[in-house]
C-alpha cells in the first residue's frame, strides 16, 4: 500500500534514515508506527531456535510494511531490517488511525492491500509445499509482481538476488540459478545481463 506522502506528513509522519543492517523494528516489540519506504529496501525476517534466518518478505520503494500489526493487540512476530540505506516515512499509530478516521477511503484501500497480501501469502504457502522448484519460483514471482502496476509479460524486474530468492522459498541458490535458466528456455522468464524479468 502506498499512501500520499504529503498527507502522511500533514498527519505528523517523519522521515527516518536507516543504514543497511539497521533494525527498524524487532520481534516482541509493540507496534507503534505505520511505515512506508521512500527509498531503499527492507526485509521482514525471523529466526528459529537454531539461529537460522527465515526471510518472510522483501519490500522496496513506495511499499508499506508492518501495517497489519497496527490492527492487532499483539507484538511483532517478525523483524524489519534495512537491506540498503533507507529513507522511511514513519507515522505514529494513533495518528495513522486519525488519518483513517478522517479519510475513510484509506481504510478501504488498507483493507484491499491487507486482503491482497493474505491472498498471495496463502498462494505462497501452497507453492512452498510443492517439491517442484519451478512452481516455487513462479509462485514467488507472481506474489512480487502483484505489487507492480504493469501486468505485461517481462515488465517486472526482479530486484532480488538469486540468494534472496533461495532464502524466501527454501531452495539452494544453485537450484534457483538452474531453474531460472529452465524457465527462460520455456519463455516464462527473461534474463538480460544477469537481471531477471517476469
Amino acid at each position: 500500500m502506498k499512501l500520499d506522502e504529503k498527507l502522511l506528513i500533514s498527519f505528523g509522519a517523519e522521515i527516518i534514515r536507516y543504514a543497511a543492517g539497521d533494525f527498524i523494528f524487532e520481534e516482541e516489540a509493540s507496534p507503534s508506527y505505520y511505515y512506508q519506504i521512500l527509498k531503499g529496501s527492507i526485509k521482514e525476517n525471523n529466526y528459529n531456535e537454531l539461529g537460522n534466518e527465515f526471510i518472510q518478505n522483501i519490500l522496496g520503494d513506495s511499499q508499506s510494511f508492518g501495517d497489519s500489526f497496527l490492527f492487532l493487540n499483539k507484538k511483532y512476530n517478525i523483524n524489519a531490517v534495512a537491506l540498503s540505506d533507507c529513507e522511511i516515512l514513519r507515522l505514529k499509530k494513533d495518528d495513522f488511525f486519525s488519518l483513517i478516521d478522517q479519510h475513510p477511503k484509506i481504510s478501504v484501500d488498507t483493507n484491499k492491500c491487507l486482503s491482497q497480501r493474505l491472498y498471495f501469502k496463502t498462494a505462497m504457502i501452497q507453492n512452498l509445499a510443492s517439491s517442484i522448484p519451478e512452481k516455487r519460483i513462479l509462485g514467488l514471482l507472481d506474489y512480487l509482481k502483484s505489487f507492480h502496476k504493469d501486468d505485461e509479460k517481462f515488465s517486472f524486474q526482479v530486484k532480488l538476488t538469486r540468494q534472496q530468492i533461495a532464502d524466501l522459498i527454501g531452495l539452494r541458490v544453485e537450484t534457483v540459478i538452474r531453474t531460472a535458466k529452465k524457465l527462460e528456455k520455456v519463455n516464462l522468464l527473461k534474463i538480460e545481463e544477469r537481471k531477471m524479468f517476469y
Side-chain angles (χ1 to χ4, degrees), residues 68-173:
S68 59
F69 292 95
L70 297 176
F71 296 91
L72 303 169
N73 191 21
K74 297 192 179 295
K75 296 180 188 277
Y76 290 118
N77 62 3
I78 56 173
N79 305 298
V81 183
L83 278 173
S84 63
D85 291 349
C86 293
E87 287 184 8
I88 295 176
L89 268 174
R90 185 176 81 173
L91 180 65
K92 289 181 183 171
K93 180 179 180 176
D94 291 342
D95 295 333
F96 175 70
F97 285 116
S98 293
L99 186 153
I100 286 176
D101 286 343
Q102 292 179 41
H103 298 271
K105 186 183 178 314
I106 289 174
S107 182
V108 173
D109 292 343
T110 301
N111 285 332
K112 282 182 186 174
C113 179
L114 296 177
S115 297
Q116 181 186 34
R117 287 181 188 172
L118 183 59
Y119 174 84
F120 280 101
K121 280 282 187 188
T122 304
M124 279 290 295
I125 289 168
Q126 291 170 340
N127 289 323
L128 287 175
S130 173
S131 60
I132 302 167
E134 291 86 349
K135 189 163 182 176
R136 287 188 183 196
I137 290 173
L138 291 174
L140 172 65
L141 297 181
D142 283 338
Y143 172 69
L144 294 172
K145 191 170 181 174
S146 73
F147 297 102
H148 185 64
K149 291 186 173 106
D150 190 349
D151 277 344
E152 290 294 314
K153 194 171 190 176
F154 308 134
S155 64
F156 173 66
Q157 182 184 343
V158 182
K159 298 212 174 163
L160 302 178
T161 65
R162 308 311 194 257
Q163 184 63 60
Q164 289 169 332
I165 292 170
D167 290 343
L168 279 165
I169 58 176
L171 292 174
R172 293 176 46 218
V173 70

Side-chain angles (χ1 to χ4, degrees), residues 11 13 18 25 30 35 54-55 71 83-84 95 113-114 120 126 151 167-168 177 181-182 190 193:
F11 274 80
Y18 296 91
F25 60 73
S30 295
Y35 297 96
F54 291 92
I55 296 177
F71 296 91
L83 278 173
S84 63
D95 295 333
C113 179
L114 296 177
F120 280 101
Q126 291 170 340
D151 277 344
D167 290 343
L168 279 165
I177 293 166
K181 288 177 183 171
K182 282 185 193 174
K190 188 161 86 174
E193 297 177 10

Side-chain angles (χ1 to χ4, degrees), residues 37-54:
I37 303 167
L38 293 175
K39 265 193 339 193
S41 60
I42 67 109
K43 65 180 173 180
E44 294 175 330
N45 72 355
N46 51 15
Y47 297 89
N48 69 9
E49 60 280 354
L50 299 173
N52 297 321
E53 179 185 28
F54 291 92

